[in-house]
């Protein structure tokens, strides 16, 4: 199968445009743009974290498959949390651990009482 | 010197009764000592001093009753990551200033913020700080111990409506309303009844499971009063913040209130 040359060309072109656009911005605007990107990235993992951990109150009603999926999502979001600055990292690592442990506990309870 | 027969009989009876008691009462009972109750307006008040004094400031006086009128335990002990054990959370001034821990609410907008004029409001090392506000609880249903308030009834009757979350709304109200019957260690003590629902009005499931109650690993055999009075299991909350152990009837409903 031939690689989609047109698509690759388009992506490269877009990358060049974005880089050029960034370089052409003034210092302050560039920093502000980068901060916005950072904030958007932070919002994404935080939303995922909250989405995962808001289910703990219902954990005993979730199915084994749902619990396994939540545990997997905990492990995935943990990778991002591990890269945060110290205070934020410690806070979210501990909170995530509380959620994950709860899901593991619910899962084990369900599996042993089958 | 000779004793009358009746005196000898009395001594024998007393000695016999003591022997029976020594056999029947487990050795743990001798160690049962409820912590002396503080005045109601100081029950649940703690001093946080992980690094305060090391950094030349007075420890922080934190009042549970002052805060639980407005927020459930879940908000601080899960969303804001405050550990259930005092001085276990790495609360820092920088963290507060950056809007974490106390700084989530104490930001100068929602409530007083972390400014120099306000230091003494929290860093005062006074366990009785804020007692002048205790009268604001006068509408709450009463209870014989702790703060003298029945916080469970207060929620039930909507006397207070504490927020259950700040940003992370629980996906659904708990439907796992399992009631547990926990047999007491002694025959003359009726079983304790544990209702999940009452607890989840205040707490998230993960506040207790699996760290405090890991039934799978530790079983319910170890929920003895000895351990509870050492601050384990129910004792994590029911020694210092939630109604205290002296209120036997609340957990062992078949026991009469004196």
């Amino acid at each position: 199968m031939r690689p989609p040359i047109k698509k690759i060309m388009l992506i490269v072109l877009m990358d060049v445009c974005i880089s050029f656009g960034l370089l052409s911005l003034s210092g302050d605007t560039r920093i502000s743009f980068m901060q916005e990107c950072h904030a958007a990235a932070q919002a994404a993992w935080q939303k995922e974290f909250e989405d995962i951990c808001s289910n703990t109150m219902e954990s005993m009603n979730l199915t084994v498959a749902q619990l396994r999926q939540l545990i997997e999502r905990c492990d995935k979001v943990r990778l991002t949390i591990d890269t945060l600055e110290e205070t934020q990292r410690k806070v979210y690592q501990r909170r995530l651990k509380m959620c994950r442990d709860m899901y593991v506990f619910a899962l084990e309870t369900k599996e042993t009482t089958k | 010197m000779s004793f009358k027969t009746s005196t000898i009989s009395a001594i024998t009876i007393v000695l016999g009764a003591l022997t029976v008691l020594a056999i029947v009462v487990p050795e743990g009972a001798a160690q049962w000592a409820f912590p002396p109750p503080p005045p109601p307006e100081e029950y649940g008040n703690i001093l946080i001093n992980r690094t305060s004094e090391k950094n030349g400031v007075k420890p922080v006086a934190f009042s549970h009753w002052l805060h639980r009128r407005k927020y459930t335990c879940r908000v601080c002990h899960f969303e804001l990551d405050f550990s259930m054990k005092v001085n276990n959370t790495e609360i820092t001034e920088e963290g507060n200033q950056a809007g974490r821990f106390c700084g989530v609410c104490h930001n100068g907008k929602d409530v007083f913020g972390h400014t120099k004029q306000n230091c003494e409001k929290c860093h005062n090392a006074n366990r009785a700080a804020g007692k002048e506000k205790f009268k604001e609880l006068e509408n709450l249903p009463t209870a014989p111990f702790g703060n003298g308030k029945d916080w469970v009834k207060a929620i039930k009757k909507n006397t207070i409506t504490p927020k259950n979350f700040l940003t992370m709304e629980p996906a659904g109200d708990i439907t796992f309303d399992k009631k547990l019957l926990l047999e007491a260690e002694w025959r003359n003590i009726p079983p304790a009844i544990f209702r999940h629902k009452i607890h989840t009005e205040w707490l998230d499931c993960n506040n207790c499971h699996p760290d405090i109650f890991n039934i799978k690993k530790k079983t319910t055999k170890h929920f003895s009063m000895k351990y509870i009075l050492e601050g384990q299991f129910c004792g994590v909350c029911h020694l210092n913040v939630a109604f205290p152990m002296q209120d036997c009837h609340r957990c062992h409903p078949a026991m009469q209130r004196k």
Side-chain angles (χ1 to χ4, degrees):
Chain A
M1 201 175 106
R2 287 181 64 189
I5 300 290
K6 274 187 186 170
K7 265 189 187 173
I8 293 170
M9 289 285 281
L10 192 68
I11 289 167
V12 170
L13 189 68
M14 276 170 65
D15 277 354
V16 170
C17 288
I18 290 167
S19 308
F20 185 75
L22 268 177
L23 287 171
S24 68
L25 290 172
S26 69
D28 285 353
T29 325
R30 199 185 308 158
I31 289 167
S32 140
F33 179 76
M34 300 294 271
Q35 279 173 342
E36 275 174 30
C37 290
H38 176 74
Q42 168 147 358
W45 72 257
Q46 220 157 4
K47 193 182 172 310
E48 170 66 355
F49 167 83
E50 290 182 359
D51 205 41
I52 297 168
C53 289
S54 61
N55 292 290
T56 51
M57 292 292 271
E58 281 212 309
S59 46
M60 290 308 283
N61 298 322
L62 300 174
T63 64
V64 167
Q66 285 170 322
L67 287 166
R68 287 216 172 102
Q69 199 191 22
L70 282 165
I71 294 165
E72 269 175 35
R73 284 170 70 191
C74 283
D75 294 339
K76 210 171 161 189
V77 80
R78 163 93 201 215
L79 299 174
T80 313
I81 289 172
D82 285 348
T83 64
L84 300 173
E85 61 85 19
E86 195 187 3
T87 319
Q88 207 177 17
R89 185 177 69 237
K90 281 184 181 170
V91 168
Y92 280 96
Q93 279 175 344
R94 212 184 81 88
R95 287 179 63 190
L96 186 72
K97 186 179 179 298
M98 285 172 79
C99 302
R100 193 186 186 282
D101 288 353
M102 181 64 219
Y103 296 137
V104 171
F105 174 75
L107 181 66
E108 287 175 353
T109 308
K110 274 176 187 281
E111 284 179 336
T112 50
T113 52
K114 257 180 193 175
Chain B
M1 201 171 108
S2 63
F3 289 104
K4 283 183 183 171
T5 318
S6 58
T7 314
I8 292 169
S9 304
I11 291 170
T12 314
I13 289 166
V14 169
L15 283 175
L18 287 174
T19 314
V20 169
L21 271 175
I23 294 164
V24 170
V25 178
E27 59 182 66
Q31 298 160 12
W32 272 31
F34 295 121
E41 65 275 12
E42 285 182 37
Y43 185 74
N45 291 6
I46 54 167
L47 291 181
I48 305 171
N49 189 18
R50 193 181 64 87
T51 56
S52 298
E53 282 183 311
K54 282 180 206 159
N55 291 325
V57 285
K58 289 179 193 168
V60 167
F62 176 85
S63 165
H64 275 93
W65 60 259
L66 199 61
H67 290 82
R68 71 187 290 195
R69 296 175 303 165
K70 295 180 179 171
Y71 299 97
T72 63
C73 318
R74 179 187 184 272
V75 171
C76 298
H77 291 292
F78 176 45
E79 277 199 68
L80 304 188
D81 192 41
F82 285 103
S83 166
M84 296 282 204
K85 281 183 189 159
V86 70
N87 297 330
N88 214 22
T89 310
E90 290 184 35
I91 312 164
T92 58
E93 187 57 23
E94 293 76 35
N96 282 325
Q97 295 280 0
R100 297 193 190 104
F101 303 116
C102 319
V104 172
C105 299
H106 287 277
N107 51 21
K109 290 174 194 160
D110 299 317
V111 257
F112 67 86
H114 281 74
T115 58
K116 280 194 175 173
Q117 308 91 280
N118 289 334
C119 296
E120 192 74 16
K121 282 189 179 172
C122 301
H123 286 277
N124 53 44
N126 177 12
R127 205 180 285 267
K131 70 175 181 184
E132 67 283 356
K133 290 186 181 169
F134 195 68
K135 61 178 183 292
E136 290 173 21
L137 304 185
E138 64 189 9
N139 293 337
L140 268 69
T142 56
F145 299 98
N147 296 125
K149 306 294 169 195
D150 191 327
W151 293 91
V152 173
K153 268 190 197 158
I155 278 202
K156 216 173 180 180
K157 291 183 171 178
N158 281 330
T159 319
I160 52 166
T161 48
K163 278 189 186 172
N164 196 24
F165 69 95
L166 292 177
T167 59
M168 210 165 74
E169 185 171 6
D173 191 16
I174 188 168
T175 43
F176 183 74
D177 187 17
K178 193 173 176 183
K179 199 193 283 183
L180 303 176
L181 190 97
L182 304 164
E183 290 297 339
E185 300 154 79
W186 303 347
R187 265 185 224 162
N188 55 341
I189 302 289
I193 293 175
F194 176 88
R195 292 184 180 92
H196 275 90
K197 184 79 182 164
I198 288 175
H199 291 81
T200 54
E201 296 277 1
W202 293 96
L203 295 153
D204 196 293
C205 309
N206 67 25
N207 285 127
C208 303
H209 300 298
D211 282 359
I212 301 172
F213 292 98
N214 193 340
I215 291 117
K216 193 172 164 283
K217 283 187 187 158
K218 293 178 184 167
T219 81
T220 52
K221 272 191 301 188
H222 302 296
F223 293 2
S224 81
M225 288 299 285
K226 180 180 179 292
Y227 292 117
I228 291 171
L229 282 166
E230 284 171 7
Q232 295 184 51
F233 305 116
C234 320
V236 172
C237 300
H238 285 282
L239 281 176
N240 308 306
V241 179
F243 68 81
M245 301 291 178
Q246 283 94 332
D247 206 350
C248 314
H249 169 83
R250 296 279 291 269
C251 298
H252 300 270
M255 280 178 86
Q256 296 295 317
R257 260 195 187 134
K258 284 175 188 169

